[in-house]
Amino acid sequence: MSSSNSVTVQILDKEYSIICPPQERSNLVNAARYLDGKMREIRSSGKVIGADRIAVMAALNITHDLLHRQDTPAQPVNDNTREQVRDLLERVDLVLANDPETPKG
């Protein structure tokens, strides 16, 4: 994919460039904003320190919310939503794996 398919998002004061199909740009930007908000909430609580730990806690909170919604009949989660969440988690894992500031091990 070319750099024209790359979207730059900012999460917790750090920029990430992510390759994304043009039709998914809006969803990616919205997901990044949502994640940024969750991570800022966790950071401001002062209970979790370190970007990697904050990211894991945010992922757990978002996943919990998603699964809770899945259990609520009024707001079922379809297979497309699950696939989108899996795709976003894979992208986050890839970015974190390639981030030289993320501790390994």
Side-chain angles (χ1 to χ4, degrees), residues 53-70:
R53 291 177 183 265
I54 291 170
V56 169
M57 291 305 299
L60 284 171
N61 287 334
I62 292 167
T63 302
H64 175 268
D65 292 345
L66 177 67
L67 293 174
H68 179 71
R69 262 202 217 152
Q70 183 178 4

Side-chain angles (χ1 to χ4, degrees), residues 15-42:
E15 286 190 352
Y16 297 91
S17 185
I18 301 168
I19 295 174
C20 178
Q23 65 272 18
E24 290 295 323
R25 284 180 183 222
S26 178
N27 289 337
L28 176 61
V29 169
N30 288 335
R33 285 183 186 147
Y34 186 79
L35 177 59
D36 181 62
K38 288 290 187 183
M39 289 179 70
R40 287 178 185 281
E41 285 176 23
I42 292 166

